[in-house]
Amino acid sequence: MSWNDERVELLKKLWSEGLSASQIATELGEVTRNAVIGKVHRLGLSGRAKSAPTPARPRASGTAPAKAGPMNGPMGAPAGRPDAQARPQRPTTIGNTALAADLDEAPEEAPAPAPVMSDNVVPMTQGCTIMQLTESTCRWPLGEPGTESFHFCGGKANPGMPYCQTHARIAYQPVQDRRRDRRLAFL
DNA sequence: CCCTGATTCGC
DNA sequence: GCGAATCAGG
């Protein structure tokens, strides 16, 4: 699978929206997060909000980089480090690293008292189609089957489980409470 | 150990 | 140009 115009476009879109590389990779399919990152860098749209000066790091390989010297050119780094200070830098985390998938939806177990009317928020790739399910994607169904809005959670599934942590807890919840006397509790 | 992005380098 | 391997960090 190569990078179509559409895929690149989608890549840019998702990346700009703050999705992680792995999420984008999962979304695009057929590519790994490495591929996504590599492409992102090649496109020149990297440097989301890093703080590390990213000094030239020698690789463990026998072949020494031997890149000493001219590499700090004025045009070398797209995202100039100097502006990192002037720019409102985030405390520590970039702000969207991971956990984005956890924001999916949790109407099941969450109290969900206030029906948030945000109809446009949640830029996250809300769920995924059955085609996008992999061994590591949460298969928790959401929505009304048969309707257009039906989809799967698509979050990161735990190894050995078809669901993510959130939904796995729901799915296997009875196990913990499976006490014999507990039966009388709710009968 | 899970994840994140960054970089290098063989292809 | 591509992306796996690797690195460095949270």
Side-chain angles (χ1 to χ4, degrees):
Chain A
M1 200 59 139
S2 58
W3 287 102
N4 299 332
D5 220 4
E6 304 179 5
R7 309 191 103 221
V8 172
E9 191 178 349
L10 181 57
L11 167 64
K12 289 180 181 176
K13 176 171 178 279
L14 296 178
W15 182 262
S16 62
E17 287 183 8
L19 277 89
S20 67
S22 62
Q23 286 174 328
I24 297 174
T26 303
E27 176 74 12
L28 288 170
E30 305 278 327
V31 285
T32 64
R33 76 178 194 91
N34 285 313
V36 171
I37 293 174
K39 186 61 180 176
V40 163
H41 279 232
R42 247 169 274 125
L43 288 173
L45 39 83
S46 62
R48 251 320 275 184
K50 270 300 193 100
S51 58
T54 315
R57 207 187 309 96
R59 212 168 148 285
S61 176
T63 306
K67 292 277 270 193
M71 81 163 295
N72 290 352
M75 44 63 72
R81 291 296 126 233
D83 66 336
Q85 295 176 343
R87 192 172 296 241
Q89 185 180 4
R90 271 84 162 204
T92 36
T93 44
I94 315 309
N96 68 342
T97 36
L99 300 181
D102 266 313
L103 298 179
D104 38 37
E105 47 254 89
E108 295 86 353
E109 80 282 38
V116 181
M117 295 302 293
S118 54
D119 38 45
N120 52 359
V121 195
V122 191
M124 253 296 299
T125 305
Q126 211 56 302
C128 60
T129 67
I130 193 169
M131 297 295 296
Q132 295 167 330
L133 287 177
T134 70
E135 284 207 8
S136 58
T137 53
C138 180
R139 292 162 169 73
W140 191 268
L142 293 166
E144 203 49 58
T147 66
E148 181 128 43
S149 61
F150 177 74
H151 58 283
F152 294 92
C153 167
K156 302 291 186 270
N158 293 335
M161 287 188 185
Y163 307 121
C164 65
Q165 286 186 345
T166 301
H167 292 128
R169 285 217 325 275
I170 306 169
Y172 302 108
Q173 192 177 46
V175 177
Q176 276 187 340
D177 300 325
R178 187 85 65 174
R179 288 259 60 100
R180 201 167 37 176
D181 24 8
R182 177 72 70 184
R183 188 165 59 124
L184 301 174
F186 53 84
L187 283 180

